[in-house]
Structures are given as C-alpha cells and as structure tokens.
Amino acid sequence: MSNLTTLMSKVESLLFVIGEDGLTLAQLAQLTESEQLDVQEALIELKNRYDQDASRGVTLKELAGTYQLISKTDNADVIEKLVENPPAQSLSQAALEVLAIVAYKQPITRVEIEDLRGVKCERALNTLNQKLLIQEVGRVEGTGRAILYGTTKEFLNYFGLNRLEDLPPLEVEEFNVEEEQDLFMSKFQETFTASK
C-alpha cells in the first residue's frame, strides 16, 4: 500500500468516526502524524474517488475549514425516508449502564458516572438525551458548575413505571464490587427487557 493510500485510509476512518463535527486540516495532520500538504493531497484524492464512483454513497465536503463525510445529494430521497421513519433501535450496553446509574443515583454528574463505570460516557449521555430518557436537572454549585443528570417522564413511560420508587430494589450488601456491578446491570436489564 502506498503512503498516499495509507494516509487516505486513516483520514477516511477519522472523518467517519468524528461524524458531523468534522476535523480541520491541522487536526487531521496532527492525528495522522503527517504534513498538512500530504493530508491535503489525500483529501483531494478521496473526494475525487467518492465523486467519480457512482457506487459510493458518501462524499467529502469542506465547511468553514472543517472536513466531513456527508451523504451524496443523489441519495436524499432515501435519507429522507430514514429520517421520517427511523427504525426502532435498542440501547447499547454502554447506554444501558449509564441509564441504570442515572436512574438509581440521580441527580448525578458525568464525572461521577465515569468514576462508577471506569470509562468515558459522553456518547452514551448524548444518546440517552436524544432519546429523551435523561435530561439536565440542575447544576452543581461551585467551580465548573457541572451538569446534573436525571431521568425523564419518557424514561418512566418507556419502562412502564409510575414513579422512580417503582424501580426494582438493588440488594448488593453481601456481594463484592464486581458482583454488585453484575447484579446492578442484570436487574436493570430485566426491567428493560420486560418493558419492551
């Protein structure tokens, strides 16, 4: 594989993962550890290949110095159908874990959730917020004023609950930490599955 082909592959992967936020030329150069001129060449070649190949559904677009992958305008009718009637999507394991933590520990900050899970949770929080299962319920007093998250009325409706007190109790006193986490998730998933 040539250097240009390898760089194009890296750029394409980065733009796919970052989504609609896009990346600047400088960011792409830094992430790929390449010169900006080389990245510029890779971007031009990628765009040419997307535009010349009718079988490709995406193309490359530059908006205000930020590059992103977008769907081709030829496919607008198909995209419109998806937007109008999105398929029902279940929640990922990460989103379920975050939702369980918010449900049982609310109000809670992102940092507190990440401390409990041991991994970042921004994407899961965004997903849950978009699905209207969680919402901002306040701010922590003091420096930074971190957002406090809580569940919504939609959450209660989705899980067939009248109030938060109807969540199944967690009996974890006699278990070690790993068993507690497993029990926590299994109880929550039972409720999630039963409500579908």
Side-chain angles (χ1 to χ4, degrees), residues 5 8 44-53 56:
T5 304
M8 286 169 48
I44 291 168
E45 183 60 27
L46 261 178
K47 180 159 179 47
N48 288 339
R49 289 188 186 189
Y50 287 138
D51 292 346
Q52 292 170 6
D53 187 348
R56 304 297 299 264

Side-chain angles (χ1 to χ4, degrees), residues 142-195:
T143 313
R145 303 209 12 98
I147 296 171
L148 288 167
Y149 292 98
T151 54
T152 63
K153 186 177 177 200
E154 301 298 328
F155 167 84
L156 295 174
N157 291 340
Y158 191 83
F159 289 99
L161 303 169
N162 291 320
R163 54 200 177 111
L164 286 173
E165 291 77 16
D166 295 337
L167 282 168
L170 295 177
E171 301 165 12
V172 294
E173 293 78 39
E174 70 268 20
F175 299 105
N176 67 34
V177 173
E178 276 186 29
E179 289 172 332
E180 285 181 17
Q181 290 171 339
D182 290 344
L183 179 64
F184 184 79
M185 282 313 300
S186 64
K187 286 270 195 190
F188 191 76
Q189 284 179 318
E190 283 172 23
T191 305
F192 178 75
T193 306
S195 71

